[in-house]
Amino acid sequence: MAKTAWGIELGTSSVKAVKLSGDRGGVALEDVAIIPLSEFGLGGGTSAEDATAGALNELRSSRGIKKGDEVFVSISGQNTLGRIISLPPVPKERVRETIENEARSQIPIKLEEAVWDFQIIEDGDPEELRVNLYAAKKDVVEQIVDVCDMAGLQITGIQVAPLGIYNYIKYEMDDAVSDACVAIDIGADNTDVVIIDGQKTYVRVVPVAGNDITKALRARFKLGADDAEKLKRRAHKSKDAAAVFEAMKPPLKDMVGEIYRAVGFYKSQHEEANINQLVMMGNGSKLLNIKKFFEQQLQYQVHKTDTPVRVALSRSVDPTEVQNNIQSLTVAIGLALQGLALDEVNSINLIPPEYVEGQATAKLRTPFFAAGGIALAGGIIAMVMAILSTGGVSAVVDQATSINNEKGKRASDLKATEPKEDDKAKAYSLINLAEGVVATLPPQKGPDDDEAPAGPPQEFTLRADMAPGLITKATLDAVAEYAAGKPRTPIYYANVKAKPETGSPLLQTNAWMLETKTEPGWVGAVDNEGGHYVATRTYTLRVWIASELSSSIDTGEANNSLKNKLTGDDGLLEKKLHDVLMAQLKESGQLEGIDEKALKKIDFSNGLKITVNQMSSAEFGTKSGDIMLSDIVDTRINILDENGKPYSKPLKNAERNTIKFGVSEVSVALTLKAVQEPSSGEEGDATE
């Protein structure tokens, strides 16, 4: 282990640096520096590269960083490519050669023009060698080396910023979180999404971030940029905090959708993954109510980064400064942890070999005006990320309990409670066996806006046996209406039947319904006796859609067209689900006495989740041996409109095999929460 190491995150608005020391198995935080690039002319005409070099020079000289010190700097996630690849077992001496051969087919740029590195995933599988492979264009890495050289800073490593997050979580958080979670680092321009699954990593950079929240506040409250930024940071002190958070919701919901897509894509490739926890970091994680919002939207356990526990604070640092800035220091700490060569951290290093060897130094000193800039290269890398991050489709969920077994278990659960409960508890138990809460109506204020809301939110219930039929009808009706509306690309229901000899990532599947529920518990139980039965059930419908492609419509555009038409406030699927659920509530008599204004405020959002995911960015049917459209589409009529008529003439098999197509998954999840006795408290208090 190195005695000391510096970790430096090269951000778009500041340089963040930490110094760690390691001794006798422990790690201590020795120094912290956050240097705004605005102090070196950024925003006043100075280039980002020159401003960063100025900040690094200030850091080096003020902190006494010398040549030979262990220094790791970051490269942004959007400037890198990441992939998990599988290989047959090979002797140690041939590992790099084997991975290099595989990398030539996995990286969509010439290997000679890239800097790449790998880490072997130690999962104990003797039949397969799996590695995390990361790469970046060489000229982008050389620009970072040049910036450091301009500052007189000698570096020993370049690490992908999201993998710095991986290092921090692996070292600082307990195994229950660090073994399987999704982490988000909310920056100004982008949000890094990092899926951690054991030693496997998957990184996606999404364009929804802090600046989008600021724009939403500007539009809602008619503010200038500076005032909107101040309001965002101080929303918790505002007298209109609730209105401020409402204005933040649209971009936050977009962020939730991106997280769903990233996790969904990863699970489609790794069926054993169990991701249900979220770690938040970055300055965006400080926003008003954001933790609660993500918990409600994702149904994940959400953790915020806090003052480090395993990394001790030395006397030389101000604990208040660390506490106030820890959310934005995680990448730098993760880089420094790697500099200390700890066993549990990632070992990827994208520093050019010739730099390490002290060779070809002159070649690396490319003037910035000739090299084109980090931002331009970053845009190129971002475009090819989608090509790299493929690998196909596999529908992955836990095995559903059969209907008969479920009925038997419910009957057994109820029977077990009967001798222990009074009549009131029995009534609630029976209700929770038959139905669950599907929507709420917030407390309604009186004519005076300052008057406090009267009573708790009103809850509406839905019979459990109605849920599958309602969401299936709404989903298929919405898809049919979209198909009948002459979309940019025709669509088909897809029954995917992969030919084993093709090696295709598509697996056999169907449109199907899954019911899952929490383990039953008893609210109000004392010493495991008494109380009433509770359980939360989720019904998930998944439908696969094949979209025809053309020279002007690729898989991403076809997926976006389907997504934009089905989802969102004006989406066909959103409207139809809302309509069928409202119709059912009306038929059950629960809407009697509620005026039209209040009806519009009934909220299904906490229990209803809709996603449209691009299952693979590959185009199928384009090469000999690929899956053809006739392999995945039923030979009968594929899409019927809302009147039960085919929207277009079914294709003959010969015609189908001339079509390129992409596959999307439309997923609808409806959650029914347990009905609670008002005095019984939350379901989380149940004794199981």
Side-chain angles (χ1 to χ4, degrees):
M1 178 187 290
K3 184 66 176 178
T4 62
W6 281 91
I8 306 173
E9 181 183 10
L10 307 180
T12 57
S13 61
S14 66
V15 166
K16 305 177 187 72
V18 300
K19 179 183 180 182
L20 299 183
S21 64
D23 188 27
R24 298 179 183 177
V27 173
L29 179 59
E30 301 285 347
D31 201 355
V32 174
I34 300 177
I35 306 175
L37 297 185
S38 58
E39 294 181 2
F40 295 87
L42 186 66
T46 302
S47 69
E49 294 83 7
D50 288 344
T52 301
L56 289 175
N57 182 61
E58 169 67 21
L59 175 70
R60 177 192 58 79
S61 58
S62 65
R63 263 46 179 199
I65 303 175
K66 305 180 295 295
K67 290 185 177 180
D69 286 351
E70 199 76 24
V71 179
F72 269 71
V73 299
S74 67
I75 180 172
S76 70
Q78 71 185 91
N79 283 338
T80 58
L81 311 163
R83 187 68 181 273
I84 299 169
I85 61 174
S86 299
L87 304 167
V90 295
K92 268 189 176 180
E93 61 274 13
R94 292 193 56 203
V95 169
R96 187 169 186 89
E97 174 192 351
T98 304
I99 293 173
E100 182 172 352
N101 292 334
E102 183 68 16
R104 292 185 182 278
S105 63
Q106 298 281 357
I107 300 176
I109 52 177
K110 291 181 179 179
L111 207 58
E112 292 74 23
E113 298 175 359
V115 180
W116 62 277
D117 196 13
F118 67 92
Q119 182 181 38
I120 295 175
I121 298 168
E122 297 175 358
D123 55 6
D125 186 352
E127 302 298 324
E128 191 175 46
L129 174 67
R130 291 197 286 188
V131 300
N132 291 313
L133 173 68
Y134 282 85
K137 292 193 74 173
K138 186 177 290 186
D139 58 354
V140 178
V141 176
E142 289 176 352
Q143 296 254 4
I144 294 174
V145 172
D146 279 339
V147 168
C148 295
D149 277 354
M150 289 170 62
L153 182 69
Q154 186 181 75
I155 59 176
T156 50
I158 298 176
Q159 174 61 288
V160 185
L163 294 184
I165 293 171
Y166 169 94
N167 291 344
Y168 181 89
I169 290 175
K170 282 292 185 182
Y171 188 79
E172 261 298 321
M173 308 196 81
D174 60 51
D175 293 345
V177 178
S178 64
D179 281 350
C181 68
V182 56
I184 59 171
D185 185 4
I186 306 172
D189 298 315
N190 300 291
T191 296
D192 288 338
V193 179
V194 189
I195 294 174
I196 299 174
D197 183 16
Q199 288 186 332
K200 298 188 291 292
T201 58
Y202 172 70
V203 173
R204 179 176 288 186
V205 180
V206 301
V208 186
N211 288 343
D212 298 282
I213 297 171
T214 304
K215 290 176 185 176
L217 293 177
R218 290 186 65 182
R220 171 64 179 83
F221 297 105
K222 312 300 181 187
L223 298 173
D226 291 343
D227 289 336
E229 184 67 21
K230 290 177 183 177
L231 179 61
K232 179 179 73 175
R233 295 178 182 273
R234 302 172 185 172
H236 61 286
K237 297 182 180 180
S238 172
K239 63 180 181 180
D240 298 320
V244 173
F245 186 70
E246 282 298 317
M248 294 181 181
K249 276 187 177 180
L252 289 177
K253 286 186 176 180
D254 289 342
M255 197 179 296
V256 167
E258 295 289 353
I259 295 169
Y260 263 124
R261 279 185 279 281
V263 175
F265 177 80
Y266 182 82
K267 285 184 175 180
S268 74
Q269 295 181 306
H270 303 277
E271 61 184 50
E272 74 283 0
N274 182 26
I275 310 296
N276 56 16
Q277 302 201 65
L278 176 76
V279 181
M280 299 179 65
M281 51 195 65
N283 283 326
S285 66
K286 300 178 183 179
L287 295 178
L288 171 72
N289 290 339
I290 191 168
K291 180 176 183 289
K292 181 179 179 181
F293 178 80
F294 274 84
E295 285 175 337
Q296 292 174 339
Q297 294 290 312
L298 290 168
Q299 296 296 300
Y300 285 2
Q301 185 176 358
V302 177
H303 310 266
K304 279 190 175 183
T305 50
D306 207 340
T307 303
V309 176
R310 289 189 67 190
V311 176
L313 303 185
S314 71
R315 294 181 180 180
S316 58
V317 298
D318 180 355
T320 302
E321 180 185 15
V322 176
Q323 175 70 31
N324 292 339
N325 294 290
I326 186 62
Q327 291 87 355
S328 58
L329 292 174
T330 52
V331 171
I333 293 174
L335 298 178
L337 287 170
Q338 184 170 344
L340 294 177
L342 300 179
D343 291 337
E344 54 258 72
V345 301
N346 193 284
S347 61
I348 298 290
N349 190 346
L350 297 182
I351 196 166
E354 56 266 33
Y355 180 87
V356 177
E357 297 166 4
Q359 298 173 352
T361 304
K363 180 181 178 183
L364 295 176
R365 298 186 181 277
T366 306
F368 285 108
F369 63 84
I374 291 176
L376 176 59
I380 297 171
I381 294 295
M383 285 191 292
V384 299
M385 279 185 70
I387 301 174
L388 180 69
S389 298
T390 62
V393 183
S394 61
V396 183
V397 291
D398 295 334
Q399 182 75 29
T401 307
S402 71
I403 294 175
N404 287 336
N405 286 343
E406 182 65 8
K407 286 181 178 178
K409 192 171 189 311
R410 289 179 183 175
S412 175
D413 288 337
L414 180 59
K415 185 176 181 180
T417 69
E418 285 180 350
K420 303 175 185 178
E421 299 179 352
D422 58 19
D423 290 342
K424 190 174 184 180
K426 288 180 182 178
Y428 273 103
S429 295
L430 289 168
I431 289 171
N432 282 319
L433 286 173
E435 61 190 46
V437 176
V438 70
T440 58
L441 176 62
Q444 301 301 296
K445 294 183 179 181
D448 183 357
D449 286 342
D450 294 330
E451 182 180 337
Q458 184 174 347
E459 294 184 334
F460 302 91
T461 61
L462 180 71
R463 281 173 44 190
D465 61 348
M466 298 288 295
L470 291 176
I471 64 175
T472 299
K473 173 177 170 47
T475 303
L476 300 188
D477 284 353
V479 172
E481 186 173 333
Y482 170 76
K486 297 183 179 179
R488 292 181 64 200
T489 174
I491 61 174
Y492 308 83
Y493 286 128
N495 289 320
V496 178
K497 295 176 289 186
K499 297 178 179 178
E501 63 271 17
T502 67
S504 168
L506 287 175
L507 301 177
Q508 184 170 351
T509 189
N510 277 295
W512 50 279
M513 175 72 68
L514 171 71
E515 179 188 1
T516 57
K517 74 181 180 70
T518 61
E519 285 297 316
W522 279 265
V523 166
V526 178
D527 294 330
N528 293 320
E529 293 188 3
H532 67 269
Y533 171 98
V534 294
T536 295
R537 283 164 290 204
T538 298
Y539 297 89
T540 305
L541 174 70
R542 288 182 167 88
V543 179
W544 284 30
I545 301 295
S547 299
E548 279 192 36
L549 306 178
S550 66
S551 59
S552 61
I553 301 176
D554 62 17
T555 53
E557 290 171 316
N559 182 78
N560 287 338
S561 177
L562 184 66
K563 173 185 171 183
N564 292 339
K565 195 66 176 176
L566 294 184
T567 63
D569 292 340
D570 296 322
L572 290 173
L573 183 49
E574 295 269 5
K575 286 183 175 180
K576 288 190 180 295
L577 284 165
H578 180 274
D579 290 346
V580 297
L581 292 172
M582 286 293 288
Q584 185 58 36
L585 295 184
K586 182 177 181 180
E587 184 176 334
S588 66
Q590 297 181 70
L591 303 184
E592 291 181 7
I594 302 177
D595 60 37
E596 290 295 323
K597 184 178 179 181
L599 286 175
K600 294 179 181 179
K601 296 181 180 179
I602 293 177
D603 184 17
F604 295 94
S605 62
N606 286 338
L608 190 61
K609 311 295 179 191
I610 304 170
T611 57
V612 178
N613 289 326
Q614 177 181 328
M615 300 307 293
S616 172
S617 59
E619 293 184 355
F620 295 98
T622 57
K623 294 182 288 188
S624 176
D626 271 358
I627 296 176
M628 299 296 179
L629 195 58
S630 58
D631 294 322
I632 74 163
V633 175
D634 197 304
T635 55
R636 296 165 295 180
I637 294 171
N638 303 305
I639 299 284
L640 302 179
D641 66 20
E642 57 266 47
N643 298 314
K645 298 179 180 179
Y647 88 97
S648 64
K649 181 181 177 181
L651 296 169
K652 297 178 181 178
N653 280 348
E655 294 175 303
R656 296 171 195 264
N657 289 342
T658 65
I659 294 174
K660 296 183 296 181
F661 65 93
V663 180
S664 299
E665 180 190 78
V666 179
S667 173
V668 177
L670 181 66
T671 297
L672 302 182
K673 294 181 64 178
V675 179
Q676 297 288 345
E677 181 181 354
S679 62
S680 65
E682 296 298 323
E683 183 179 341
D685 297 331
T687 300
E688 296 189 8

